[in-house]
Amino acid sequence: MTRGDGLEPRGDTTPRLRASWQRSARYGVPDDEVKPVFTATVDTGSLLFECGDEVLRGLHATLADEPISLMLTDSEGLVLSRLCGDPGMTRSLDRVHLAPGFSYAESNAGTNGLALALADRTPSLVRAGEHYCTSLRGYTCAAVPVLDPITGALAGSVNLTTWSEQSSGLLLALAQTAAGHTTSLMLARASGRRPRPAPRGEVFRVYADRIDPPELSAAWQHALLEAMDTMGRGRTVAVVGEPGAGKTALAALARRELHPRERVLNARPPAPDDVDAWLAMWSPEVGKADTCVIVSGVDALPAWAAGELAARFTGHPTGFVLTASDSAAIPKPLMSFVDTVVELPPLRLRPDDILPLAHHFAHRARGRAVSFTPAAARALATHDWPENAKQLRRVVAEAAARADTVDTHHLPPEVFTTTGHRLSRLQAMERDEIVRCLAQPGATVVRAAAELGMGRATIYRKMAQYGIKNRQLRS
C-alpha cells in the first residue's frame, strides 16, 4: 500500500483507516520514522494498571514462546507496560520506541493499532502496510479500548503486536478477551457501586416538565443566563461539566426559555459500532425549523464520528447544542463550531441546590409533594454526591417510593459515608450493615454493636474507616 496523495492510503481500506491517515497527515507526523514522545515515569498505581498488568501477565504465561508483545496503555496512548518473551521482537520494538514511557497516540506515531482503538473507542486491527509510518510496517497490531466499568470513561487500551507475516485472525480476539477480563477485574475491585450501562445511543424528545423547575443557586443561574445569552444571539453553545451535573437539563431549559414552542431532541452517544445508525436516526433533524438537537457527551464519540457529525452541522450553526466533560475533551472538528463554552459546576460546589433538587426529584417520582425529616435533609445536604444530580435523583426517587416523609432509614448507606477510597464488596456490605443498625429508631452504638456481634470500640473504628456520620443518622 502506498501513500497516494499523501492524505490517505490507497486501496481497499475502511473509512476509519482513511480518516486516521488524514488526521496523521494534519498532525504533521513524519511518514518515514516514528518519533513518539517520551515520558520519564508512568502511572503504575492506577486500578487500570493493577488489573490490566495482572491479566496480561496471565495471558503472557500461555504465550511465552510466541513472537507476540502484550502492552497496556493509558487513555492518551502512553505505554504503561510491555511483556514479550521473544528477544528478536523485543529488540525490534525497542528500535521503534514501542516501549513503556513512550506515547503512541495518533498525533505522535500516526495510524497504528492502539492509537486507532483509542481514537475511535472500538477494537482495531492495523496490519503491516496500513500503518502510517513506514518503520511500523513490519508489524500487525490489534488493540481494544478499556473503559472504566463505573464511569464509562476511556481508561486505556490493551495492545497485542506481532510480526506482519504472522496470522492476525486470532490476535484481535485475544486482545478483546484481555480487555474484557481487565474491565471485569476493575469492576470486582471497585467500590461495589453499580456498573455504568453500555451506551445505547438513545435519541428522544425533551418535553417540558409538568412540575415547575426549582429555584436554584446563583452558580446555576449564572450558567443558565450565559447559555441563554449566547443562544439568543444565534451562536453555538457547549455545556461542560462532570457526568450527571445537569448539563443537558441546563441546555434544554435555556432553549425552552428562549423558544417555548421549539422541539428539543437529545441524542446520547452510542456504542462505537452503532454510530452509523445513530447518525442516520437524528442528523436529518438538524437545520429544521423550530428544532434543536442537544448532542450529549461528544467527548465519548469515536474520532471519525466527530468528523461525520461536523459535516452534518455545517451550515446549521444554531440547530444544536453540545455537552462534554470539559472543553479540552471536545473533538477538534466539533470545537470549531462552538462560540461559547458554559461550565456547570458539580453539585458538591452548589450545596444550596441539593435540597431544592431533592424536593423536585421526589415530587416527580411520587407524583405529589414529599417532605424530608431534619435528619434526612441534613444527610442529603452534607453528602458530596460524587455522581452529582444523577445520583441525587436516583437516591431520592428510591426513598420517595417508600414514604411521603423521607427519614434517614429510607436513604441508602452511601449517603452517610465519605470513604475517599474504593471499598471491596465485602467492605461495602459491612458498611451497609453498620449504617442499617445505626439508622434504626432509637439506635445507639452500644445496641448496634450488640446486634452485629462487634465490640463498641470496633464499631467506632469501623465508623471512622468508612466515614459513617452518626450524627446524620439521628432523627
Side-chain angles (χ1 to χ4, degrees):
M1 184 180 298
T2 58
R3 192 169 305 276
D5 61 3
L7 292 179
E8 62 180 49
R10 191 175 64 196
D12 185 16
T13 57
T14 65
R16 286 181 56 225
L17 188 63
R18 288 195 296 272
S20 177
W21 271 54
Q22 291 167 357
R23 292 193 299 270
S24 301
R26 288 197 297 269
Y27 289 136
V29 176
D31 60 8
D32 56 345
E33 181 183 6
V34 63
K35 296 180 179 180
V37 173
F38 177 70
T39 301
T41 59
V42 298
D43 181 11
T44 59
S46 67
L47 186 63
L48 168 71
F49 184 88
E50 174 191 328
C51 298
D53 192 59
E54 182 174 327
V55 169
L56 291 186
R57 288 187 183 279
L59 181 58
H60 175 62
T62 68
L63 300 171
D65 297 326
E66 300 293 331
I68 297 178
S69 175
L70 294 77
M71 282 165 271
L72 184 70
T73 82
D74 69 6
S75 61
E76 301 298 324
L78 179 69
V79 180
L80 302 177
S81 69
R82 185 186 73 186
L83 300 170
C84 184
D86 184 280
M89 170 69 71
T90 300
R91 288 192 296 270
S92 179
L93 293 176
D94 284 342
R95 284 194 292 270
V96 295
H97 312 296
L98 188 46
F102 287 91
S103 174
Y104 253 68
E106 212 172 51
S107 57
N108 293 322
T111 302
N112 65 85
L114 72 88
L116 188 58
L118 292 172
D120 285 348
R121 299 189 179 214
T122 193
S124 300
L125 181 68
V126 176
R127 301 173 181 86
E130 294 172 343
H131 288 91
Y132 187 83
C133 293
T134 57
S135 58
L136 297 179
R137 295 186 180 180
Y139 311 102
T140 290
C141 302
V144 178
V146 177
L147 304 183
D148 186 298
I150 302 300
T151 66
L154 182 64
S157 75
V158 168
N159 176 42
L160 273 59
T161 297
T162 188
W163 301 118
S164 58
E165 66 269 15
Q166 298 290 321
S167 172
S168 60
L170 189 59
L171 203 64
L172 188 57
L174 285 173
Q176 288 178 299
T177 298
H181 288 172
T182 298
T183 300
S184 297
L185 193 57
M186 290 173 68
L187 179 59
R189 294 182 181 174
S191 62
R193 291 154 55 196
R194 64 192 68 188
R196 185 186 185 199
R200 294 181 296 177
E202 299 102 331
V203 179
F204 56 90
R205 185 170 181 179
V206 181
Y207 289 93
D209 203 315
R210 66 184 186 278
I211 304 168
D212 291 336
E215 289 291 331
L216 298 181
S217 64
W220 169 274
Q221 293 297 333
H222 174 78
L224 178 64
L225 292 174
E226 186 178 11
M228 290 175 59
D229 178 66
T230 301
M231 294 174 184
R233 290 184 286 112
R235 314 301 288 270
T236 302
V237 172
V239 185
V240 302
E242 293 182 4
K247 302 183 292 295
T248 299
L250 184 137
L253 183 58
R255 298 297 302 196
R256 291 289 183 204
E257 292 290 331
L258 290 170
H259 309 287
R261 302 180 65 84
E262 183 178 62
R263 186 174 64 134
V264 179
L265 304 178
N266 180 210
R268 294 175 175 172
D273 292 343
D274 297 330
V275 168
D276 283 330
W278 179 73
L279 287 171
M281 184 187 307
W282 65 266
S283 60
E285 302 299 315
V286 175
K288 288 186 176 180
D290 298 323
T291 297
C292 174
V293 181
I294 302 171
V295 189
S296 301
V298 294
D299 47 326
L301 289 174
W304 74 269
E308 289 290 322
L309 201 54
R312 287 164 168 76
F313 285 161
T314 301
H316 307 293
T318 62
F320 62 94
V321 182
L322 307 179
T323 79
S325 58
D326 62 72
S327 57
I330 299 174
K332 289 184 179 180
L334 297 176
M335 191 64 195
S336 62
F337 291 92
V338 176
D339 298 298
T340 299
V341 174
V342 176
E343 183 171 359
L344 180 60
L347 193 57
R348 64 180 175 276
L349 300 182
R350 296 155 35 210
D352 292 344
D353 288 345
I354 294 174
L355 289 180
L357 284 173
H359 283 281
H360 179 69
F361 293 149
H363 194 167
R364 286 175 55 183
R366 196 161 178 86
R368 56 180 180 270
V370 173
S371 61
F372 297 87
T373 66
R378 186 167 59 246
L380 294 173
T382 56
H383 189 57
D384 57 4
W385 301 106
E387 298 174 55
N388 290 296
K390 180 180 179 180
Q391 181 186 12
L392 176 64
R393 181 172 63 246
R394 170 176 57 79
V395 165
V396 167
E398 291 174 357
R402 301 171 60 191
D404 283 333
T405 299
V406 173
D407 201 354
T408 52
H409 64 276
H410 297 123
L411 299 174
E414 64 192 85
V415 174
F416 304 100
T417 60
T418 54
T419 58
H421 62 275
R422 291 185 174 91
L423 301 180
S424 69
R425 291 187 178 182
L426 185 60
Q427 288 174 322
M429 290 173 62
E430 182 179 58
R431 175 204 64 183
D432 293 357
E433 278 299 290
I434 294 172
V435 170
R436 181 187 64 79
C437 292
L438 291 173
Q440 293 175 0
T444 64
V445 172
V446 173
R447 289 174 60 180
E451 182 175 347
L452 293 169
M454 295 180 178
R456 186 171 58 177
T458 301
I459 287 286
Y460 279 119
R461 178 170 58 81
K462 294 290 185 181
M463 289 172 63
Q465 177 185 348
Y466 298 135
I468 298 172
K469 298 165 282 190
N470 192 33
R471 179 179 62 85
Q472 295 177 1
L473 291 163
R474 298 170 184 163
S475 298

